Amino acid sequence: MDLNLTLFHIINDMAGKNSVLDTTMIFAAQYLICIFAIYLAYTWFAKNKYRQEALFAGYAALLGLGINLIITQFYFHPRPFMVPTGTLLIAHAAESSFPSDHATIMISVSLMLLTFKDFRRSGAVFFILAFTGGLARVYSGLHFPMDMAGSLLVALVSIGILLALKNYLIPINRIFIAYFENIEEKLTKGNLKTS
């Protein structure tokens, strides 16, 4: 038995034995990713001076997904329930397992945040959440552990590309942010006039 399958069964064999743990892991597998989106939206709208960081975190997630899409065009790996093996707790389409899109998004955002001094603590917390979300998806029978390792690798590549392009992206971001703030200002003035 290979290491990937062995690790999968160590984690997934706990599924279906404790309803509280199952419910917790199902929630983590499906909805932890929403916390990342909410946090980036909060950073964008409530912490105006950190809009550059929010954009870069968003870019990291999108670039990671793009790399995943390219990988799936050339490499297919079945999900555990397609083999079939393990206990499946969440219904899912029969599609390629490697890498995990959920994990790629979460790890990419957390690693990108870690590159910014003012977001080191947040990045560390979100990396733990990303690890938890990835573990939950293995527990739920949706992925193999190596899918998560693949997501980590994709996230690192994504961050590396963005850091290499950072000096080119910052001026573009400033234009986009200024454009958004101009619209925001007009909307605010419009609301003040009508109230």
Side-chain angles (χ1 to χ4, degrees), residues 109-127:
V109 169
S110 64
L111 291 182
M112 194 73 242
L113 291 176
L114 280 168
T115 66
F116 298 111
K117 184 180 177 183
D118 291 346
F119 285 84
R120 298 268 164 80
R121 186 176 297 175
S122 298
V125 170
F126 278 104
F127 186 80

Side-chain angles (χ1 to χ4, degrees), residues 40-48 51 180 184:
L40 291 185
Y42 166 76
T43 302
W44 178 265
F45 289 105
K47 296 185 173 183
N48 296 2
R51 283 179 171 163
F180 177 84
E184 193 177 39

Side-chain angles (χ1 to χ4, degrees), residues 23 50 57 68 86 100 140 187:
T23 302
Y50 292 118
N68 280 2
S100 164
S140 300
L187 288 173

